[in-house]
Amino acid sequence: MRIGFHVPTQGGWSKTLQRARERRCETLQIFVGAPVQWKSAQPRTEEAAAWREAIARSDTRPVFVHANYLLNLASTDGTLWRRSIRRLARDLRHAALLGAAGVVTHLGSPKAGNERTPGWCIDRIAAAADAALEAAEVEVELLLENSAGMGSAIGSRYAQIGDIIAAARHSGRLAVCLDSAHSFAAGYAWHRPEGLDAALDEADRAFGLQRLRLLHINDSRVPFASGVDRHWHIGRGYIGTAGFRVIVNHPRLRHLPMVMETPEASLEADLRNLRALRRCIDPQHRTTLRPAPRP
Ligand SMILES: [Zn+2]
Ligand SMILES: [Zn+2]
C-alpha cells in the first residue's frame, strides 16, 4: 500500500512538493485551482513538466486530482450542470498535464425542493461524466466517490455508483474512490471484519472491485450510519484504531493507494495521523517511513 495526503497547492508547485515530502507522501491528492472558485488557471507547460519530473524523481505515485467542490453533476439547474461539466473537463485536462492518474469527483445532488427520481439522477450524472470526458480529450480516468448520503447527495449506496457506470457510454474510463468515513456514515460497517467483507461484496456486485483505484482514509466525527460527512483524525473518531486495523489490513484493500483528508492540514496534525495509521498496519505490510526532507 502507498499512503499519502490531500496536500494544499497554495503557494505554487514547489511548495506543494515540499509539503508532500514533509508528510512522507508515497501517493498524493491535490486540487487544481481553488476548490471553491469556478475559475482556474491552467498550469504553464514548463511548470507542469518540472512538476512531473520532480514527482517521478520522488517516486510519489499515483497522483490524483480532486475535482472542484462547486460542481454538481446531478444538478437540476441546466446552467449549473453545464458549468460543472466544463469545469470537470478542465480539471481532467489539468490532471493530464500534471501526470495524474485520475480525477476524483463527488456525484452531486438534485437541488433541495427539486427532488428527482434516483433513475433521473443516475442518468444525469452519467451524461455529465460522458460529456466531461469527451470535452477533455485526455486519457485520465474519472473516479466516482461514494458519499455519506447527506441531504440528497447521490452515491451513498454502492449500487448507485454501479448504475452510473453502467449508464455511461465511456464506462471504460470510469473508476471508483471509496471513502472510509463516507462509507461508515452511510451505514457500511467498515470498522468490523464481517461488516467490511459484506460492504466489499456489495461493492464488487455493484461496480466490480477491479474498478476501485483509491481509498480516502478518514476517521468519522459522527457515529455509525449517521448519514453525515464529518472527517476526523485517524483513531480519534468513531471508526477508531480497531476499525482502521480492519480496513488497512484487508486483503482486498491493502494494495490500494490510501489518501488521508483529515482536518487542519498542519504538518504536525498530518504527521500524527500518519503515525496513527501506520501503527494500524500489520508489520509485514508496513513500508519503511520515508525520511524527512533536509531543511
Ligand atoms: Zn473523500
Ligand atoms: Zn467527506
Side-chain angles (χ1 to χ4, degrees):
M1 81 192 62
R2 284 173 165 261
I3 296 176
F5 284 93
H6 180 97
V7 169
T9 49
Q10 282 95 311
W13 297 112
S14 71
K15 190 93 184 85
T16 306
L17 216 52
Q18 168 75 7
R19 289 192 190 102
R21 278 197 209 101
E22 286 168 349
R23 285 159 180 76
R24 324 285 217 278
C25 287
E26 300 162 312
T27 177
L28 184 65
Q29 179 178 281
I30 54 174
F31 287 123
V32 286
V36 290
Q37 274 172 30
W38 282 107
K39 277 191 206 152
S40 70
Q42 177 150 315
R44 286 199 308 273
T45 316
E46 330 74 85
E47 244 174 18
W51 160 267
R52 285 199 305 271
E53 203 194 303
I55 280 290
R57 215 181 312 120
S58 67
D59 189 35
T60 307
R61 64 188 159 79
V63 172
F64 296 96
V65 164
H66 198 298
N68 184 282
Y69 277 154
L70 296 175
L71 49 88
N72 183 355
L73 306 182
S75 180
T76 52
D77 172 343
T79 308
L80 176 59
W81 187 69
R82 282 186 293 274
R83 202 173 190 187
S84 300
I85 292 168
R86 286 198 298 274
R87 176 57 200 250
L88 183 56
R90 208 153 68 228
D91 282 355
L92 283 160
R93 280 194 296 269
H94 290 188
L97 266 173
L98 297 170
V103 171
V104 182
T105 183
H106 297 164
L107 302 179
S109 53
K111 209 193 259 166
N114 236 327
E115 273 67 35
R116 292 291 196 279
T117 62
W120 184 92
C121 296
I122 298 296
D123 289 342
R124 185 80 161 165
I125 298 166
D130 277 334
L133 285 165
E134 277 166 26
E137 295 186 306
V138 290
E139 295 296 307
V140 174
E141 281 188 325
L142 182 59
L143 277 61
L144 309 177
E145 180 174 359
N146 72 311
S147 76
M150 231 165 32
S152 50
I154 308 295
S156 62
R157 310 319 306 163
Y158 300 156
Q160 292 172 325
I161 298 176
D163 290 346
I164 293 166
I165 293 171
R169 286 191 309 278
H170 300 293
S171 57
R173 295 173 59 196
L174 295 177
V176 177
C177 165
L178 291 180
D179 187 304
S180 58
H182 299 177
S183 295
F184 178 81
Y188 291 110
W190 274 40
H191 57 310
R192 299 187 194 286
E194 57 300 341
L196 183 55
D197 282 340
L200 293 178
D201 283 346
E202 188 174 325
D204 197 32
R205 283 193 299 275
F207 51 76
L209 280 181
Q210 74 284 356
R211 280 191 201 264
L212 183 55
R213 295 282 185 277
L214 169 66
L215 296 181
H216 282 169
I217 294 291
N218 303 303
D219 210 333
S220 176
R221 202 174 183 174
V222 289
F224 178 63
S226 59
V228 176
D229 180 3
R230 289 278 180 279
H231 299 190
W232 201 232
H233 300 287
I234 305 300
R236 298 187 177 193
Y238 284 89
I239 295 178
T241 304
F244 283 105
R245 278 204 200 100
V246 174
I247 296 167
V248 296
N249 296 302
H250 196 284
R252 298 171 94 177
L253 298 181
R254 66 176 177 231
H255 63 286
L256 290 165
M258 302 185 184
V259 164
M260 285 175 271
E261 303 170 309
T262 35
E264 38 160 323
S266 74
L267 178 58
E268 202 183 313
D270 283 352
L271 289 177
R272 205 171 53 225
N273 282 311
L274 178 62
R275 283 193 298 271
L277 188 63
R278 286 176 56 86
R279 276 198 296 271
C280 297
I281 305 169
D282 291 341
Q284 70 269 31
H285 302 302
R286 207 180 291 151
T287 53
T288 316
L289 184 65
R290 292 189 171 190
R294 275 173 304 220

XYZ file of all heavy atoms in Angstrom, residues 143-188:
325
model
N -12.765 9.200 -11.373
C -13.100 8.352 -10.225
C -14.339 8.902 -9.529
O -14.361 10.056 -9.095
C -11.951 8.328 -9.207
C -10.786 7.360 -9.437
C -10.068 7.641 -10.736
C -9.799 7.442 -8.276
N -15.371 8.078 -9.438
C -16.602 8.479 -8.752
C -16.454 8.143 -7.275
O -16.133 7.006 -6.923
C -17.790 7.729 -9.364
C -17.910 7.796 -10.898
C -19.101 6.951 -11.376
C -18.041 9.231 -11.392
N -16.668 9.150 -6.416
C -16.500 8.922 -4.979
C -17.846 8.690 -4.309
O -18.818 9.400 -4.570
C -15.797 10.124 -4.323
C -15.600 9.915 -2.820
C -14.773 11.002 -2.138
O -14.311 11.926 -2.817
O -14.602 10.896 -0.907
N -17.902 7.715 -3.408
C -19.147 7.463 -2.672
C -19.397 8.589 -1.671
O -18.462 9.277 -1.246
C -19.101 6.107 -1.953
C -18.171 6.108 -0.759
O -17.032 6.544 -0.861
N -18.634 5.638 0.369
N -20.648 8.789 -1.294
C -20.989 9.878 -0.373
C -21.517 9.319 0.942
O -21.838 8.127 1.054
C -22.045 10.787 -1.005
O -23.316 10.163 -0.957
N -21.600 10.223 1.933
C -22.173 9.843 3.231
C -23.698 9.855 3.169
O -24.360 9.386 4.092
C -21.675 10.796 4.310
N -24.215 10.437 2.088
C -25.672 10.492 1.920
C -26.304 11.686 2.597
O -27.501 11.685 2.915
N -25.484 12.735 2.821
C -26.004 13.943 3.455
C -27.005 14.624 2.527
O -26.745 14.712 1.331
C -24.843 14.890 3.762
C -24.888 15.325 5.156
S -23.487 16.106 5.915
C -22.596 17.038 4.772
N -28.124 15.122 3.081
C -29.134 15.782 2.257
C -29.605 14.834 1.173
O -29.956 13.694 1.449
N -29.543 15.296 -0.069
C -29.974 14.418 -1.163
C -28.767 13.974 -2.000
O -28.902 13.686 -3.187
C -31.005 15.149 -2.030
O -30.518 16.425 -2.389
N -27.573 13.935 -1.363
C -26.358 13.543 -2.085
C -26.488 12.134 -2.652
O -26.888 11.199 -1.952
C -25.147 13.629 -1.167
N -26.140 11.998 -3.918
C -26.184 10.697 -4.600
C -24.903 9.924 -4.259
O -23.875 10.523 -3.984
C -26.252 10.902 -6.130
C -27.400 11.855 -6.501
C -26.391 9.579 -6.875
C -28.769 11.343 -6.188
N -24.977 8.600 -4.305
C -23.770 7.786 -4.179
C -23.491 7.258 -2.793
O -22.398 6.797 -2.517
N -24.495 7.306 -1.892
C -24.267 6.714 -0.576
C -24.428 5.192 -0.638
O -23.924 4.483 0.222
C -25.204 7.307 0.465
O -26.540 7.035 0.132
N -25.119 4.710 -1.672
C -25.206 3.255 -1.903
C -24.262 2.907 -3.044
O -24.271 3.575 -4.094
C -26.633 2.804 -2.286
C -27.790 3.261 -1.400
C -27.536 3.220 0.076
N -27.080 1.935 0.577
C -26.496 1.777 1.778
N -26.285 2.818 2.559
N -26.119 0.586 2.170
N -23.481 1.867 -2.861
C -22.536 1.475 -3.909
C -23.266 1.137 -5.210
O -22.723 1.328 -6.301
C -21.690 0.284 -3.459
C -20.852 0.530 -2.216
C -20.446 -0.535 -1.417
C -20.458 1.822 -1.852
C -19.664 -0.330 -0.292
C -19.688 2.034 -0.711
C -19.295 0.957 0.063
O -18.529 1.159 1.179
N -24.496 0.604 -5.082
C -25.257 0.234 -6.280
C -25.473 1.440 -7.192
O -25.472 1.312 -8.420
C -26.603 -0.371 -5.879
N -25.636 2.641 -6.598
C -25.838 3.837 -7.426
C -24.602 4.120 -8.278
O -24.714 4.533 -9.435
C -26.129 5.056 -6.544
C -27.479 4.979 -5.833
C -27.660 6.110 -4.824
O -26.702 6.548 -4.180
N -28.885 6.587 -4.690
N -23.433 3.906 -7.690
C -22.188 4.125 -8.443
C -22.121 3.139 -9.610
O -21.794 3.508 -10.739
C -20.966 3.993 -7.507
C -21.040 5.061 -6.405
C -19.660 4.080 -8.288
C -19.937 4.973 -5.369
N -22.488 1.889 -9.318
C -22.524 0.874 -10.379
C -23.512 1.234 -11.477
O -23.231 1.057 -12.669
N -24.664 1.766 -11.082
C -25.684 2.140 -12.069
C -25.197 3.281 -12.958
O -25.482 3.306 -14.161
C -26.984 2.567 -11.365
C -27.699 1.392 -10.702
O -27.334 0.235 -11.014
O -28.610 1.625 -9.886
N -24.473 4.242 -12.375
C -23.950 5.362 -13.170
C -22.942 4.832 -14.195
O -22.984 5.197 -15.373
C -23.285 6.424 -12.257
C -24.350 7.086 -11.378
C -22.525 7.464 -13.085
C -23.786 7.884 -10.215
N -22.067 3.957 -13.739
C -21.051 3.401 -14.646
C -21.738 2.627 -15.778
O -21.371 2.755 -16.945
C -20.045 2.527 -13.865
C -19.229 3.421 -12.915
C -19.129 1.749 -14.817
C -18.340 2.681 -11.932
N -22.764 1.863 -15.411
C -23.478 1.073 -16.429
C -24.211 1.972 -17.428
O -24.363 1.617 -18.599
C -24.470 0.123 -15.747
N -24.654 3.153 -16.963
C -25.421 4.050 -17.839
C -24.519 4.907 -18.728
O -24.996 5.504 -19.692
C -26.325 4.948 -16.988
N -23.230 4.977 -18.405
C -22.325 5.863 -19.153
C -21.820 5.192 -20.434
O -21.614 3.979 -20.460
C -21.146 6.254 -18.275
N -21.635 6.010 -21.478
C -21.065 5.475 -22.723
C -19.582 5.182 -22.552
O -19.049 4.260 -23.135
C -21.237 6.490 -23.856
C -22.646 6.600 -24.395
C -22.668 7.412 -25.688
N -21.982 8.694 -25.533
C -22.534 9.790 -25.004
N -23.774 9.746 -24.569
N -21.848 10.910 -24.903
N -18.891 6.023 -21.747
C -17.445 5.863 -21.566
C -17.124 5.135 -20.268
O -16.230 5.537 -19.531
C -16.764 7.229 -21.594
C -16.980 7.962 -22.876
N -16.447 7.521 -24.073
C -17.707 9.065 -23.167
C -16.824 8.342 -25.042
N -17.587 9.283 -24.524
N -17.868 4.069 -20.006
C -17.708 3.375 -18.721
C -16.286 2.844 -18.535
O -15.823 2.690 -17.410
C -18.720 2.241 -18.601
O -18.558 1.357 -19.683
N -15.597 2.600 -19.632
C -14.217 2.110 -19.550
C -13.268 3.126 -18.929
O -12.165 2.771 -18.526
N -13.692 4.393 -18.893
C -12.824 5.426 -18.300
C -13.308 5.875 -16.935
O -12.789 6.817 -16.358
C -12.707 6.597 -19.267
C -11.988 6.117 -20.541
C -11.979 7.141 -21.593
N -11.319 8.335 -21.104
C -11.437 9.514 -21.702
N -12.185 9.630 -22.771
N -10.821 10.553 -21.222
N -14.317 5.162 -16.421
C -14.821 5.483 -15.084
C -14.290 4.469 -14.079
O -14.266 3.270 -14.339
C -16.349 5.474 -15.073
C -17.015 6.553 -15.927
C -18.535 6.377 -15.896
C -16.632 7.948 -15.440
N -13.850 4.971 -12.936
C -13.357 4.123 -11.859
C -13.976 4.645 -10.559
O -14.857 5.504 -10.587
C -11.844 4.145 -11.828
N -13.517 4.111 -9.428
C -14.182 4.427 -8.158
C -13.164 4.758 -7.071
O -12.072 4.184 -7.024
C -15.074 3.233 -7.704
C -15.726 3.509 -6.360
C -16.133 2.915 -8.758
N -13.538 5.710 -6.219
C -12.810 6.022 -4.993
C -13.785 5.815 -3.841
O -14.892 6.360 -3.873
C -12.335 7.477 -5.028
S -11.806 8.115 -3.423
N -13.408 5.013 -2.861
C -14.277 4.850 -1.684
C -13.648 5.548 -0.489
O -12.440 5.437 -0.258
C -14.521 3.368 -1.377
C -15.371 2.588 -2.380
C -15.512 1.122 -1.932
C -16.755 3.210 -2.582
N -14.469 6.257 0.254
C -14.028 6.999 1.431
C -14.484 6.216 2.670
O -15.664 5.854 2.769
C -14.670 8.395 1.377
C -14.168 9.331 2.449
O -14.267 8.965 3.632
O -13.704 10.433 2.107
N -13.559 5.960 3.598
C -13.908 5.170 4.787
C -14.961 5.881 5.639
O -15.909 5.254 6.111
C -12.658 4.880 5.628
O -12.028 6.082 6.020
N -14.804 7.191 5.817
C -15.745 7.940 6.664
C -17.126 8.021 6.009
O -18.154 7.906 6.685
C -15.219 9.343 6.942
N -17.152 8.220 4.680
C -18.437 8.282 3.986
C -19.144 6.927 4.051
O -20.358 6.865 4.282
C -18.255 8.669 2.515
C -17.633 10.026 2.308
N -17.341 10.509 1.052
C -17.227 10.983 3.177
C -16.789 11.710 1.168
N -16.710 12.018 2.446
N -18.386 5.848 3.832
C -18.977 4.507 3.868
C -19.571 4.224 5.244
O -20.707 3.755 5.375
C -17.915 3.449 3.540
O -17.463 3.603 2.211
N -18.786 4.524 6.280
C -19.186 4.312 7.677
C -20.455 5.113 7.994
O -21.413 4.588 8.569
C -18.010 4.750 8.552
C -18.224 4.667 10.024
C -18.083 3.448 10.695
C -18.498 5.807 10.768
C -18.240 3.381 12.077
C -18.654 5.750 12.146
C -18.526 4.534 12.806
N -20.470 6.375 7.583
C -21.626 7.235 7.854
C -22.849 6.788 7.064
O -23.988 7.003 7.482
C -21.294 8.690 7.526
N -22.610 6.150 5.916
C -23.725 5.683 5.086
C -24.249 4.322 5.548
O -25.164 3.765 4.939
C -23.294 5.611 3.624
N -23.643 3.756 6.605
C -24.166 2.502 7.149
C -23.430 1.252 6.696
O -23.927 0.146 6.904
N -22.263 1.412 6.072
C -21.421 0.254 5.755
C -20.422 0.092 6.913
O -19.620 0.997 7.172
C -20.658 0.464 4.451
C -21.536 0.476 3.216
C -21.750 1.650 2.495
C -22.148 -0.698 2.766
C -22.544 1.664 1.345
C -22.950 -0.702 1.631
C -23.140 0.483 0.927
O -23.927 0.486 -0.196
